[in-house]
Amino acid sequence: MIGSMRVPRNCALLLAVFCSLAGLATEAQAYLDPSTGSMILSAIVGIFATIGLAVKTYWYKLKNLLKGKQPPVVPESKTEPGQPAVLSGERPAD
């Protein structure tokens, strides 16, 4: 597995070129108004909310995966295909 994660030989060269080009950047001379800051902050909060919802949605699957357990099997309905399911206490319509 580690053998397949080799770093290319020219990676050091690319990193050196990137760092030297980043050092040559001039001032942007741009203005960010207060609404831009709140927009960036709301985007960051949205990303964290999305990550939290995804973790909450898949929590039990993730927990079972880490423990090595199989998820519980949901029993299938005893009705035949095309027949409506009957809830307990109801009579099927004739």
Side-chain angles (χ1 to χ4, degrees):
M1 176 111 185
I2 293 178
S4 65
M5 296 173 39
R6 294 185 184 155
V7 178
R9 292 181 183 174
N10 59 358
C11 183
L13 178 64
L14 289 175
L15 182 62
V17 169
F18 175 75
C19 289
S20 57
L21 289 177
L24 295 176
T26 61
E27 294 181 17
Q29 306 252 343
Y31 172 72
L32 298 177
D33 61 342
S35 63
T36 306
S38 65
M39 182 178 63
I40 293 170
L41 182 64
S42 65
I44 292 170
V45 169
I47 289 170
F48 282 118
T50 303
I51 291 170
L53 184 64
V55 169
K56 180 185 171 203
T57 302
Y58 293 106
W59 176 250
Y60 291 109
K61 289 183 181 181
L62 183 69
K63 190 168 77 170
N64 288 336
L65 179 70
L66 294 175
K67 287 185 177 182
K69 293 182 180 178
Q70 293 293 328
V73 178
V74 178
E76 293 188 23
S77 175
K78 294 182 180 179
T79 61
E80 294 181 20
Q83 296 293 324
V86 178
L87 299 175
S88 61
E90 291 185 7
R91 289 188 191 171
D94 289 328

